[in-house]
Amino acid sequence: MTVLSESIPSTTEHHAHPPRGHGFSRDRLETGFFTIARRVVIVLLLIITVFPFYYMFLLSIRPLGDVLRNPGALWPAEFDIGPYVEILLPVTDGGQGFGSFMLNSLILAGGTVAATLLLAIPGSYAVSRLRFFGRRQVSVLFLAVYLFPSILLAVPLFVFFTRIGLRGSLIAVIIVYISQTVAVSVYMLRNYFETIPVSLEESAALDGCSRLGTMWRISLPLAMPAIVSNGLWVFMVAWNEFLFALLFLVEDRDRWTVSLGLSQLTTGSLDVPTTVLMAACVLTTIPIILVFFVSERLLTEGLTSGAEKG
Amino acid sequence: MTMSELPGAVGAAPGSPPPGVPRKGTRPRVGAMRRSEARTGIALISPTVVIVLVVVIAPLLWSFSLAFQRIRLINLRDAGIIGEYSFDNIIAVVNYPGFLEVVLTTLTYSVLGTAGSVTLGLIAALALRRTFRGRGLVRTFMLLPYVAPMVAVAMLWRTLLDPQFGFINHWGQELFGWDDPIGFLSNSSTALATVIVFEAWRQFPFAFIFLLARLQAMPGELEEAARVDGATVSQRFRHIILPQLLPTIAVLAVLRFIWTFTSFDEIYLLTRGGAGTEVISVRVFDFLTGRGDIGLASAQAMMIAVILVVLVGIYFKFTAKRQQDFQ
């Protein structure tokens, strides 16, 4: 209501005095201002989003002494890959054993992706294509789980897995990660299945394909872009996860993930130099950036376009 | 699943649109078809439902029960559903030193962090609304803070803000003539503000993607008409664009508030809850691992759920009418 009553006078006023012809009208002034402001904002946004990551990489390849003397340098005067050697070498060889952390993260993330997709693909197909009792309730339940904060689950899951003696095992962490991702995966894949025309599956059925055969031969290949990008999303979630890795795995260094290992590098007993810390940050971030660039492209490609022709 | 069901499948879907009115003679077959469809559906969805029930719903309910029992990590063997129930943990949590400060810090952190991330996301979305060369790449770069691993960006910020060898303090002293380096994350006058800025930086891409998508889906006619009528850029934003974005902004604000209110990683990694930045979730973690007091940790976690449910409930009560208008 207030919006209307405010806007009416201003528009009628401009009717009476059209902006054209007035050299310094408010419109031209504002247009000019916002054209410049937009460019400034884009540059500032690029600085705050890209520069920190450039700086992370920069510190990781500069010699420590150089960094301590001049922390404000914007490009490297000398190169030193020593930090990468120190961070990757096993503990027995005087390094930090980050290679084994990366392997653990890879096992965890890979296991979570496989298990989540194995559950979510049939589940999302069922929710989008088949009519069964409770279909709606299931969707609501999954959406609620998406909003659900993991800190509320931290205590009971910690207690439960301690009690059954599985805390500290990678399998327990994978189970927890599945529960964090599967509901959202079903939700995302369901949305994609709904964009695939049912008529394709009906044609397959007419040609004598069974329901599971249709799902396997028609729906699954068509949903591949969504499945791949969903799998990459799950990978990112599992690779980045920190709270449950900290709660479940912190006691055994051999089971540390990259996120957990990185966070432990700065605690009292293992105070590593800044350059080594930044090298670890780079190694933690690079797989995610790669996965992100791949999945962004996949998401924008639609494979169904033109599938229904003829 | 078998060949014999297929004629029913083909006939049921496109042939008879009103599902309640099957054609004469086909009824038994459609019924059998529907039953088999329902069976397949339940079979395909149940593994997921079981996982969610076992690893999310059951632990949540159990957590409520734990909050009313006296259980420590040492006497874990006795932990179960049946035990001696009392309100001791709740009373202990409320009387624990700094309870009110922690709740207020959590509220300040989540309200300002949400406002910051949504505002920055809105500014970014407006700036990237019109096409220009390289926009796709800029848009991808905008998402970096959001997708990068939390631990890595937290360590990066700690390095950048370090009082001794940090980039920010170096240039602050060089360019702006700061007398002394600022301990952004260790000084109680700056720590909370710093973690709020971090939260806004980390989470703005989330608001940005949704607001940009909404902006690009907006029909141009209304804005064009306003432009022809002489509305300036700011007037068009205020009266045409913003009202259309408000529903999206409202949803984003609620989501971000819920997630910020319960977030643990950011504060734990940046300050460990020191310098006046202790939030409820960090306290839950400390009760659980530091003191090994499961009952106390559960009671504190329950407090998060209760405050959240009350706040979100109030929000929906106030906006229920407006929500109906939009639908």
Side-chain angles (χ1 to χ4, degrees):
Chain A
M1 276 307 177
T2 49
V3 173
L4 266 180
S5 57
E6 271 175 43
S7 65
I8 288 166
S10 68
T11 39
T12 46
E13 186 191 324
H14 277 278
H15 260 304
H17 308 282
R20 208 161 290 171
H22 290 255
F24 295 99
S25 75
R26 185 177 156 189
D27 187 45
R28 284 180 72 172
L29 197 72
E30 278 197 12
T31 308
F33 172 76
F34 282 112
T35 307
I36 297 166
R38 210 185 74 207
R39 286 177 195 165
V40 173
V41 165
I42 291 172
V43 170
L44 286 178
L45 284 171
L46 276 177
I47 292 173
I48 63 164
T49 50
V50 179
F51 176 74
F53 294 96
Y54 167 73
Y55 189 74
M56 178 201 280
F57 177 69
L58 179 70
L59 281 204
S60 73
I61 54 161
R62 289 176 61 198
L64 182 63
D66 188 32
V67 170
L68 297 184
R69 268 193 308 279
N70 184 13
L74 290 173
W75 45 84
E78 303 163 63
F79 292 95
D80 180 15
I81 57 153
Y84 286 94
V85 176
E86 186 186 336
I87 199 73
L88 282 171
L89 275 183
V91 185
T92 46
D93 297 331
Q96 299 292 344
F98 218 70
S100 76
F101 302 165
M102 292 178 88
L103 191 67
N104 286 339
S105 277
L106 208 63
I107 294 169
L108 271 184
T112 310
V113 170
T116 301
L117 288 182
L118 213 61
L119 290 166
I121 293 171
S124 57
Y125 182 82
V127 174
S128 82
R129 285 289 190 268
L130 307 174
R131 285 158 294 181
F132 56 89
F133 176 74
R135 180 167 92 157
R136 278 219 166 158
Q137 289 83 341
V138 162
S139 292
V140 172
L141 173 74
F142 287 2
L143 194 64
V145 169
Y146 174 51
L147 292 176
F148 206 79
S150 52
I151 188 76
L152 295 187
L153 294 177
V155 182
L157 288 179
F158 181 86
V159 175
F160 173 72
F161 281 107
T162 310
R163 187 93 187 272
I164 63 170
L166 270 181
R167 185 165 64 83
S169 73
L170 293 183
I171 206 79
V173 181
I174 290 182
I175 292 173
V176 174
Y177 287 1
I178 295 169
S179 75
Q180 305 271 302
T181 53
V182 74
V184 188
S185 283
V186 168
Y187 200 75
M188 283 161 71
L189 289 177
R190 187 203 71 169
N191 288 345
Y192 195 84
F193 273 125
E194 258 152 37
T195 66
I196 300 176
V198 186
S199 55
L200 287 172
E201 285 160 39
E202 283 162 10
S203 328
L206 264 182
D207 292 345
C209 208
S210 72
R211 171 136 44 225
L212 289 183
T214 311
M215 183 184 149
W216 180 252
R217 293 205 185 88
I218 308 292
S219 316
L220 210 61
L222 282 173
M224 224 13 140
I227 291 169
V228 172
S229 61
N230 190 258
L232 292 171
W233 172 78
V234 174
F235 181 90
M236 283 163 71
V237 170
W239 182 275
N240 288 353
E241 207 282 335
F242 175 65
L243 173 61
F244 285 105
L246 176 68
L247 279 172
F248 282 41
L249 305 173
V250 76
E251 280 144 33
D252 184 0
R253 193 183 166 130
D254 292 337
R255 300 244 165 86
W256 284 2
T257 63
V258 272
S259 283
L260 178 58
L262 183 53
S263 75
Q264 299 298 311
L265 286 178
T266 52
T267 54
S269 56
L270 308 165
D271 214 357
V272 302
T274 309
T275 51
V276 177
L277 184 69
M278 288 298 109
C281 283
V282 170
L283 291 176
T284 310
T285 309
I286 279 181
I288 291 304
I289 302 240
L290 289 180
V291 163
F292 170 64
F293 273 88
V294 173
S295 60
E296 239 233 324
R297 181 173 292 180
L298 268 174
L299 276 170
T300 51
E301 276 172 18
L303 275 192
T304 46
S305 55
E308 250 196 302
K309 267 181 200 158
Chain B
M1 255 186 281
T2 53
M3 294 293 229
S4 61
E5 294 165 6
L6 284 164
V10 176
S16 54
V21 203
R23 272 168 301 181
K24 258 184 207 169
T26 56
R27 183 161 202 151
R29 258 208 269 165
V30 170
M33 169 62 218
R34 281 293 282 271
R35 273 198 299 279
S36 114
E37 183 178 327
R39 264 201 308 277
T40 315
I42 288 171
L44 291 179
I45 195 71
S46 42
T48 309
V49 174
V50 167
I51 281 266
V52 166
L53 288 179
V54 170
V55 192
V56 179
I57 307 298
L60 179 73
L61 298 176
W62 192 38
S63 176
F64 274 82
S65 140
L66 288 173
F68 296 99
Q69 297 178 56
R70 187 169 167 73
I71 301 169
R72 295 171 164 272
L73 271 184
I74 314 156
N75 58 12
L76 192 58
R77 293 238 154 266
D78 315 330
I81 300 168
I82 295 117
E84 280 182 40
Y85 290 100
S86 76
F87 284 94
D88 290 354
N89 290 325
I90 313 289
I91 296 163
V93 161
V94 175
N95 287 329
Y96 203 84
F99 171 75
L100 211 59
E101 282 95 321
V102 168
V103 173
L104 284 177
T105 308
T106 315
L107 279 173
T108 315
Y109 170 66
S110 20
V111 169
L112 295 181
T114 300
S117 69
V118 175
T119 310
L120 197 55
L122 177 62
I123 292 172
L126 288 171
L128 266 75
R129 190 183 174 201
R130 305 225 182 287
T131 47
F132 56 87
R133 257 177 52 160
R135 184 178 72 159
L137 200 62
V138 174
R139 186 177 160 277
T140 308
F141 282 140
M142 288 297 113
L143 304 180
L144 279 179
Y146 186 67
V147 297
M150 174 65 81
V151 187
V153 290
M155 293 300 150
L156 174 62
W157 270 59
R158 274 169 56 167
T159 307
L160 282 166
L161 295 172
D162 189 83
Q164 257 185 304
F165 306 112
F167 180 85
I168 302 290
N169 271 306
H170 175 86
W171 285 109
Q173 285 170 305
E174 203 101 318
L175 289 179
F176 306 114
W178 296 351
D179 297 331
D180 294 306
I182 300 171
F184 287 99
L185 291 167
S186 51
N187 193 324
S188 57
S189 60
T190 53
L192 186 58
T194 309
V195 292
I196 289 168
V197 170
F198 175 85
E199 176 70 16
W201 175 82
R202 163 91 181 160
Q203 305 292 356
F204 92 86
F206 182 80
F208 161 73
I209 328 171
F210 281 90
L211 289 171
L212 187 64
R214 185 72 195 84
L215 274 175
Q216 283 171 341
M218 233 176 238
E221 291 89 1
L222 210 55
E223 224 188 319
E224 186 54 29
R227 202 185 65 81
V228 170
D229 280 353
T232 65
V233 180
S234 61
Q235 286 169 332
R236 291 201 301 266
F237 172 72
R238 168 75 181 78
H239 298 294
I240 310 282
I241 301 175
L242 193 60
Q244 294 186 74
L245 285 181
L246 274 181
T248 313
I249 292 177
V251 172
L252 284 171
V254 173
L255 287 179
R256 282 260 53 92
F257 181 83
I258 294 174
W259 286 326
T260 315
F261 192 83
T262 54
S263 70
F264 164 82
D265 299 5
E266 290 91 330
I267 304 250
Y268 179 82
L269 289 164
L270 286 172
T271 65
R272 298 271 142 104
T277 60
E278 190 178 6
V279 289
I280 308 183
S281 51
V282 171
R283 193 162 258 207
V284 172
F285 180 84
D286 285 340
F287 284 158
L288 178 63
T289 60
R291 296 170 55 97
D293 196 329
I294 295 165
L296 206 58
S298 295
Q300 183 73 78
M302 211 180 73
M303 217 72 89
I304 297 181
V306 169
I307 296 174
L308 210 53
V309 166
V310 168
L311 288 178
V312 173
I314 291 172
Y315 170 83
F316 278 116
K317 199 162 171 65
F318 272 100
T319 53
K321 203 192 155 324
R322 233 187 283 167
Q323 295 270 323
Q324 280 172 355
D325 292 347
F326 283 126
Q327 287 156 8

